[in-house]
Amino acid sequence: MRSLAKSRIRAVAAAAATVALGCTALAAVPSTASAAGGSLAVQYRTGAAGATADQSEPWLKVRNTGSGAVQLSDVKIRYYFKGEAAGDAYRFACSWAVKGCANITGTFGTLASPTATADRYLEIGFTAGAGSLAPGADTGDMQLRFYRSNWQPLVQSDDYSFGAGATAYGDWTKVTARLGGAQVWGEAPEGNGPTDPTDPTDPTDPTDPPGDGPTLFDDFNYSGHTDARIAAHGWSVRSNSGGPGVPGATWAPENVTFASQGGNSIMNLETSTAGSGESTKQTEILTQSMKFRNGTYAARVKFNDAPVSGPDGDHLVQTFFTINDLKAPMADDYAEYDFEYLPNGGWGESGNILYTTSWETYRPDPWEAVNAHTESRQSYAGWHDLVVTIDDSAITYYIDGQLFGTHGAAYLPERGMSINFNQWLIDLAGQTSTTPRSYDQQVDYVLHVKDQVLTPAQVNARVSAFRTAGTTFQDTVPAT
């Protein structure tokens, strides 16, 4: 996210993509529930029954039909719908819930196998504060809603999970439930079920494919930012001026440090401020070469919600991304693929939010962007396994082994990119104090395997193999 224009991305509505979704034949509607394991059931009613509405209102209850207690933090519910237009952004809200809206999360994702009635889903999750369900108990009302970010009307009548006649709660198999990653209720749209061979969440042999293509692996085992091996291994610790971030801020290479944790080397990016541009020090490390294109990218990153010291609240961005240079406004060979975590909001958001964004191109002035993004409004404090894969048809994002979002062929890269980590401040509006404060983002490792799509399990196996062999760095990716 080195582009100065990035600081404006969320201040405007998400841009529309350049291609529209095609129509296919209607998928067959299942008539019976799939309750493998019989541990959960989902009931549904609609709070907005019109074929067209300002917002969709799926009201849900989750019931424990098993014989043991169920931790709600292990439960994920998916409501499937057809997007209004490619690139449209959606917003989730909870109007009221017995378990408390603060304990309910909503994440939007894109289906790997779109159908005529579904190409997206809203995934409902629960925080630890939601507690557990005893056998036979249910969550009570969850009065949920979602809407287009531009508040234009949405059509519900063509949405897979919508039921115009469901004005009272009843079992609803067009909504799926997962417990601990395993689907235990409902039927996903055709081609997206847990047994479909194209389902990216299917368990696979972590050694098939072996992931032995040209590879970059770095365990970030360095002594400090001046360690000569950093440059020798193809990295640059940024010190030059420029965006993104607060005007007048500097990029401080000395704030990129390395330390051992549990016998493993960890890279730390520290960003600090005392409430002015001149006092703001941001951090970034990036590959010198833009030789990375299709394949698998992975990193283990620790996001932090709170500062190490000083008052909290700054509009901070913590990232892992790939990018190349914009040669001209709206140039069609620009590419960028981001994981961006905002612990204190920003870009019009008031709280925690994580974005994955795939860029086709943009124009800085006047602002115009062509991108797709998936977001989740919840805390991501702590360590997370981040994986993005790029093949000839899609860009797919995973967090902690779970599919997070899929973006289509319109956003594929036309040329190589660099690999980057940075931490920076959008502005100084989140915290106006002049008391010094600092924030940390940690990175455990980075992996890229050229032209091979690995599952998260295969990524873990590949990293484990490097560490078992005592390999702290390898780069066999050709320059072109």
Side-chain angles (χ1 to χ4, degrees):
M1 244 185 32
R2 298 170 58 200
S3 164
L4 197 58
K6 291 292 290 188
S7 63
R8 301 174 59 188
I9 170 177
R10 315 295 179 201
V12 297
T18 56
V19 295
L21 295 172
C23 293
T24 57
L26 284 173
V29 176
S31 59
T32 59
S34 170
S39 56
L40 295 176
V42 180
Q43 293 189 325
Y44 161 83
R45 62 159 292 190
T46 180
T52 301
D54 290 334
Q55 56 188 344
S56 187
E57 298 186 41
W59 294 11
L60 303 173
K61 291 182 181 179
V62 180
R63 187 174 75 255
N64 180 1
T65 60
S67 57
V70 170
Q71 293 295 323
L72 282 170
S73 58
D74 293 332
V75 175
K76 299 289 186 184
I77 310 299
R78 286 188 178 181
Y79 179 97
Y80 303 90
F81 66 99
K82 179 77 170 179
E84 308 309 306
D88 255 8
Y90 289 82
R91 299 289 183 261
F92 165 77
C94 172
S95 298
W96 186 82
V98 173
K99 289 290 184 180
C101 283
N103 294 316
I104 297 173
T105 64
T107 303
F108 293 98
T110 306
L111 288 180
S113 301
T115 73
T117 59
D119 55 16
R120 307 185 188 195
Y121 60 84
L122 167 63
E123 183 171 274
I124 302 302
F126 301 87
T127 70
S132 62
L133 290 180
D138 65 46
T139 58
D141 258 351
M142 295 187 292
Q143 298 180 11
L144 313 176
R145 56 190 173 92
F146 66 93
Y147 53 92
R148 299 171 73 182
S149 62
N150 58 12
W151 276 107
Q152 294 300 303
L154 54 78
V155 177
Q156 300 189 101
S157 55
D158 62 355
D159 290 347
Y160 176 84
S161 295
F162 174 67
T167 55
Y169 279 113
D171 287 357
W172 197 251
T173 62
K174 293 184 182 180
V175 173
T176 60
R178 289 177 179 262
L179 178 60
Q183 186 171 314
V184 296
W185 174 265
E187 294 283 351
E190 184 177 8
N192 295 277
T195 60
D196 292 314
T198 58
D199 188 336
T201 63
D202 283 348
T204 57
D205 183 347
T207 62
D208 182 20
D212 58 357
T215 298
L216 167 69
F217 172 74
D218 202 328
D219 214 12
F220 295 114
N221 189 12
Y222 301 110
S223 60
H225 75 281
T226 60
D227 191 325
R229 293 175 300 160
I230 294 178
H233 290 170
W235 295 99
S236 175
V237 182
R238 186 175 178 183
S239 60
N240 61 298
S241 61
V246 175
T250 57
W251 296 87
E254 68 274 13
N255 287 349
V256 177
T257 58
F258 303 87
S260 178
Q261 291 185 13
N264 188 40
S265 181
I266 301 296
M267 178 172 66
N268 188 74
L269 307 177
E270 177 189 293
T271 292
S272 60
T273 187
S276 67
E278 294 72 21
S279 67
T280 301
K281 294 185 177 182
Q282 306 177 142
T283 43
E284 180 169 19
I285 185 169
L286 63 151
T287 61
Q288 299 167 20
S289 173
M290 291 194 293
K291 63 180 181 178
F292 307 99
R293 189 176 169 183
N294 284 15
T296 299
Y297 299 82
R300 184 164 174 79
V301 176
K302 186 179 183 182
F303 298 127
N304 288 289
D305 283 351
V308 176
S309 62
D312 197 1
D314 287 291
H315 290 159
L316 188 71
V317 186
Q318 301 174 339
T319 76
F320 165 46
F321 64 105
T322 66
I323 192 172
N324 60 28
D325 54 327
L326 182 73
K327 293 185 177 296
M330 302 302 287
D332 62 6
D333 63 348
Y334 178 73
E336 181 176 348
Y337 308 99
D338 303 325
F339 287 93
E340 299 166 305
Y341 180 53
L342 283 61
N344 296 313
W347 291 323
E349 296 289 336
S350 59
N352 321 90
I353 187 165
L354 187 142
Y355 293 100
T356 59
T357 308
S358 301
W359 287 77
E360 169 60 15
T361 190
Y362 72 93
R363 175 170 52 213
D365 190 20
W367 178 251
E368 182 179 0
V370 181
N371 60 41
H373 73 270
T374 305
E375 73 246 7
S376 176
R377 290 171 175 80
Q378 66 182 76
S379 173
Y380 280 87
W383 284 103
H384 296 283
D385 295 315
L386 310 179
V387 176
V388 56
T389 65
I390 304 173
D391 58 19
D392 291 330
S393 62
I395 304 101
T396 306
Y397 297 87
Y398 301 88
I399 297 180
D400 297 330
Q402 298 297 310
L403 177 65
F404 187 80
T406 302
H407 302 154
Y411 310 100
L412 293 173
E414 285 83 10
R415 57 188 175 91
M417 302 170 288
S418 61
I419 298 174
N420 305 52
F421 299 89
N422 67 15
Q423 184 180 216
W424 53 282
L425 295 180
I426 298 171
D427 53 43
L428 297 171
Q431 172 56 263
T432 59
S433 170
T434 58
T435 301
R437 59 267 190 189
S438 65
Y439 300 84
D440 284 350
Q441 172 188 344
Q442 282 93 28
V443 182
D444 184 4
Y445 70 83
V446 66
L447 173 74
H448 170 69
V449 180
K450 177 180 169 62
D451 295 332
Q452 288 191 356
V453 171
L454 274 63
T455 66
Q458 290 164 343
V459 167
N460 291 340
R462 188 75 171 130
V463 172
S464 295
F466 277 123
R467 288 179 166 169
T468 299
T471 302
T472 59
F473 176 80
Q474 176 180 298
D475 186 3
T476 58
V477 180
T480 59

